[in-house]
Amino acid sequence: MGYGAWSDWVGRTHAVEDLIGPGIAHAMAATLGSTGAASLDTGAPVPHPWIWAYFLEPAERREIGPDGHPKRGGFLPPIPNPRRMWAGSRCTFENHLRVGQQARKTSTIHSIEEKNGRTGPMVFVTVLHETTANGTLVMREAQDIVYIDIPEVFSPPPGKPVPPCEHVEPYDIDPVLLFRYSALTFNGHRIHYDRPYSRDVEKYPGLVVHGPLQATLLHDFASRKYPDRTPASFAFRGVRPIFDFDDMTLNAREVDGNTAELFTANGDGAISMTATMEWAA
């Protein structure tokens, strides 16, 4: 099936409004063990990646597909490749969402592109998100979603070592963390909490650590290690899966006065996610 089958989806727009309530923020802080939000009272800023726990539109039970995601179609095109993943995002920040604000997120399908990768045919869908609060722009995000076939056996790309970093910190991951993050973001994808499904259907060796969870942890890590700076942009890309049984580390190194490179890695030092944080001048 070629690009033309989904070209009508390009340009589609969808908007969701939400109240940035304190309950979700407190639950996210408890789940992550985050020190990035000392106070979450009304008016307090919410760390940028926590936006992914808001503006949710839970699908009804009858609308759920076999992988736990909503069935294909709707706002996103019905691409048939069975495995769909959040491959990465590029975000720019103009302000913070704040507890108690009424906010609006507008999403537009920007492009659909077919490629051939190491595992076969791939389809990338890029969605542009723009979030505003009280009529003021807060954040822009270009999100890449990739659709691929499920391989017969798990065959990850070769591991690339983390470069030398001045900041390295272990972060404990376990099934409870993955389940709670899935619940907070209303992510029903079974690879994050259903071990038999992840192993027998999608051929992973364990439960998969969410890409946006890794990105959230890296953003928080950079904010803690460079506390005197204000994030202007943040980009991340998944490189290799990491699992609940891995010994994960967070890694950061300063490139120059305006940029830091960030990595998650497993116990063997193989990169799982790369990210870049740029600071406001």
Side-chain angles (χ1 to χ4, degrees), residues 27-241:
M28 185 65 77
T31 297
L32 302 176
S34 175
T35 59
S39 171
L40 292 170
D41 296 330
T42 299
V46 175
H48 297 112
W50 295 14
I51 197 172
W52 300 323
Y54 292 96
F55 307 103
L56 307 177
E57 294 185 285
E60 294 188 16
R61 188 175 183 181
R62 65 176 181 271
E63 297 172 345
I64 299 299
D67 60 358
H69 278 307
K71 292 178 181 177
R72 307 301 170 99
F75 172 63
L76 291 172
I79 295 169
N81 306 65
R83 179 179 287 174
R84 43 184 162 172
M85 302 176 293
W86 187 337
S89 286
R90 298 162 302 285
C91 308
T92 57
F93 310 123
E94 300 295 333
N95 211 322
H96 276 279
L97 285 178
R98 295 182 178 273
V99 174
Q101 284 184 320
Q102 189 72 29
R104 181 182 180 89
K105 182 179 180 179
T106 303
S107 304
T108 304
I109 296 179
H110 175 70
S111 64
I112 303 173
E113 185 178 4
E114 293 181 276
K115 296 183 179 180
N116 283 312
R118 186 181 61 87
T119 59
M122 313 167 71
V123 180
F124 283 87
V125 178
T126 298
V127 183
L128 304 182
H129 304 287
E130 187 173 278
T131 302
T132 59
N134 300 329
T136 300
L137 179 65
V138 172
M139 172 176 164
R140 288 191 177 96
E141 176 184 3
Q143 176 191 13
D144 297 322
I145 304 167
V146 62
Y147 298 74
I148 64 175
D149 292 331
I150 296 174
E152 293 185 5
V153 296
F154 177 63
S155 178
K160 294 183 178 180
V162 177
C165 291
E166 58 259 29
H167 301 292
V168 180
E169 185 174 286
Y171 189 90
D172 292 334
I173 49 176
D174 58 41
V176 176
L177 170 67
L178 304 189
F179 175 82
R180 294 178 79 185
Y181 187 80
S182 288
L184 277 169
T185 55
F186 217 82
N187 180 351
H189 198 180
R190 294 166 64 182
I191 62 173
H192 303 304
Y193 61 87
D194 184 341
R195 194 177 304 275
Y197 172 87
S198 184
R199 179 189 62 228
D200 300 336
V201 178
E202 298 219 18
K203 309 304 182 185
Y204 290 117
L207 298 177
V208 180
V209 180
H210 315 63
L213 172 57
Q214 294 181 60
T216 298
L217 294 172
L218 288 176
H219 183 285
D220 178 69
F221 186 55
S223 298
R224 288 188 286 110
K225 296 304 177 183
Y226 308 99
D228 57 338
R229 305 182 189 176
T230 301
S233 68
F234 178 63
F236 63 91
R237 179 174 61 88
V239 175
R240 196 171 189 265

